[in-house]
Amino acid sequence: MDESLINSAIQLRNDIQAINEFLLKGLAPEDAQLQLVAKSCVLLGELDDTLEQLKDTASCK
């Protein structure tokens, strides 16, 4: 498997987890929370794309 894709997926997952943990604390103002939710959605899309690439890479071998 492509190690860079695996590392990218792990980093995206860690970033999403950090955002979610921060949001659960409820410390940010509402507009900042909305921006963080949007960023989390973008990261989830990127993670989905990365996992699809990993799946394609694995199925080709």
Side-chain angles (χ1 to χ4, degrees), residues 37-49:
V37 168
K39 178 63 176 175
S40 185
C41 290
V42 170
L43 292 174
L44 282 168
E46 291 178 19
L47 178 58
D48 184 57
D49 292 345

Side-chain angles (χ1 to χ4, degrees), residues 1-59:
M1 283 200 202
D2 190 340
E3 190 171 326
S4 66
L5 284 175
I6 294 170
N7 290 336
S8 179
I10 291 169
Q11 185 60 51
L12 287 164
R13 181 231 172 249
N14 290 343
D15 291 347
I16 293 165
Q17 182 178 3
I19 290 171
N20 288 340
E21 287 175 359
F22 183 76
L23 286 170
L24 285 173
K25 293 178 183 176
L27 301 176
E30 186 175 345
D31 59 333
Q33 289 181 21
L34 293 174
Q35 290 176 358
L36 288 170
V37 168
K39 178 63 176 175
S40 185
C41 290
V42 170
L43 292 174
L44 282 168
E46 291 178 19
L47 178 58
D48 184 57
D49 292 345
T50 302
L51 293 174
E52 281 294 322
Q53 290 175 2
L54 276 169
K55 185 177 91 174
D56 293 344
T57 301
S59 65

